[in-house]
Amino acid sequence: SIQTIKTNNLQSAFNLKNVINLKNINFNYPNTSKSALKNINLSIPAFSTVAFIGPTGSGKTTTVDIILGLLKAQKGCLEADNQPINDNNDLAWQKIIGYVPQNIFLSDDTVEANIAFGTNSKNIDKNAVHYAAKIANIHDFIINDLPSQYQTTVGERGIRLSGGQRQRIGIARALYHKAEVLVFDEATSSLDGITEKMIMEAIHEFSGKKSIILIAHRLKTVKKCDKIFFIDKGRVADQGTYQELIENNEHFKNMAAHA
């Protein structure tokens, strides 16, 4: 009914304080007999930085899509602070999540409008835009290198933002919208080593202040994480710090040796 839609839109943002839990998550994509996820149990402490790694098709993206609320498990439960996320609070949950994909969508608009993406131009909080850009390590570039600074149109001829600059605008966008949980989906995989290092440094700036989830295929990007979940064949094959996994898991050790 219309009333439920209205109340859904009024869900106030969630306030994550302690932990995100996945409990006995099983997931099948439609029209496939093979389970994408089999009995996934894991917990992500609030304000920690964690990574999901594993071979292509292992289920790491599906696991994160469950956390994002984009997919609903057939069995099991996503909980935030021991509260099940369901149709009554999923919008409130999604309000605090900032998603930074590998390819950031930039509209043919100003840098400012792209950071405050989805906000009516009359309502853009310029201070919040600048603050987000500073934390994402892109403010100095915008002020010093762009002809009209924050009012520079991204699609203008001659304004060619590099992959790293686009990523940082993506990070600033997530921060402008007050994301408490930041999800980076292979966000640095198409960048060169130096740019990747700079983006990772920008991400680690939030360590302890935000809950950060990385989906990564390059192991060097996950070295500093508090916890790494090694996903394989739809299960949590192992978990621990980088050092623990190097010492205890042959498969991980081989991956690291070839990284």
Side-chain angles (χ1 to χ4, degrees):
S1 74
I2 288 167
Q3 197 179 347
T4 44
I5 293 169
K6 275 191 180 156
T7 47
N8 265 350
N9 284 339
L10 295 174
Q11 291 178 20
S12 58
F14 208 92
N15 187 4
L16 182 71
K17 291 193 174 77
N18 300 308
V19 66
I20 302 166
N21 282 317
L22 268 61
K23 293 187 171 174
N24 305 317
I25 294 280
N26 286 272
F27 183 81
N28 279 42
Y29 284 102
N31 309 323
T32 57
S33 53
K34 200 164 139 295
S35 292
L37 300 178
K38 306 177 190 100
N39 213 26
I40 294 264
N41 283 286
L42 56 85
S43 42
I44 300 169
F47 312 112
S48 67
T49 301
V50 304
F52 287 87
I53 62 141
T56 305
S58 60
K60 56 187 189 294
T61 301
T62 308
T63 305
V64 173
D65 282 347
I66 299 258
I67 295 171
L68 290 167
L70 297 176
L71 296 176
K72 298 255 190 300
Q74 281 93 358
K75 263 166 64 188
C77 187
L78 162 68
E79 290 182 359
D81 290 350
N82 300 318
Q83 205 178 324
I85 302 297
N86 53 33
D87 292 344
N88 299 323
N89 60 7
D90 56 352
L91 292 175
W93 172 241
Q94 286 174 332
K95 269 181 193 166
I96 67 161
I97 300 177
Y99 178 71
V100 183
Q102 188 173 339
N103 297 309
I104 301 289
F105 171 76
L106 295 181
S107 62
D108 189 6
D109 207 333
T110 63
V111 171
E112 177 183 87
N114 271 289
I115 291 175
F117 190 69
T119 309
N120 185 309
S121 58
K122 291 192 284 289
N123 302 334
I124 291 175
D125 178 342
K126 290 185 189 311
N127 289 339
V129 166
H130 294 185
Y131 177 70
K134 279 177 187 159
I135 305 181
N137 222 332
I138 185 95
H139 175 76
D140 290 352
F141 165 77
I142 295 167
I143 292 297
N144 299 325
D145 294 21
L146 295 184
S148 307
Q149 300 179 330
Y150 281 91
Q151 300 311 313
T152 306
T153 303
V154 170
E156 246 173 46
R157 269 202 321 233
I159 298 301
R160 297 277 182 272
L161 295 176
S162 71
Q165 286 148 1
R166 294 169 77 95
Q167 284 311 105
R168 277 179 277 198
I169 285 175
I171 296 171
R173 179 185 291 172
L175 295 171
Y176 176 83
H177 290 290
K178 308 240 180 325
E180 290 173 41
V181 180
L182 291 170
V183 177
F184 295 89
D185 186 354
E186 299 275 17
T188 62
S189 59
S190 58
L191 305 176
D192 63 80
I194 295 165
T195 312
E196 180 176 51
K197 191 166 178 286
M198 286 164 74
I199 298 282
M200 288 313 298
E201 280 168 7
I203 291 171
H204 285 297
E205 287 282 308
F206 321 123
S207 276
K209 301 185 198 88
K210 309 233 175 233
S211 308
I212 300 171
I213 298 170
L214 308 170
I215 304 178
H217 68 201
R218 289 213 272 235
L219 290 192
K220 63 172 182 284
T221 59
V222 303
K223 270 188 176 163
K224 285 188 188 168
C225 289
D226 301 308
K227 195 189 270 187
I228 297 166
F229 297 102
F230 185 32
I231 310 287
D232 197 16
K233 299 188 179 73
R235 299 179 190 277
V236 180
D238 212 339
Q239 57 182 284
T241 62
Y242 187 85
Q243 206 46 48
E244 285 165 351
L245 289 175
I246 288 271
E247 285 164 20
N248 303 324
N249 189 301
E250 271 313 304
H251 192 161
F252 186 86
K253 193 172 163 181
N254 289 335
M255 279 171 73
H258 297 105

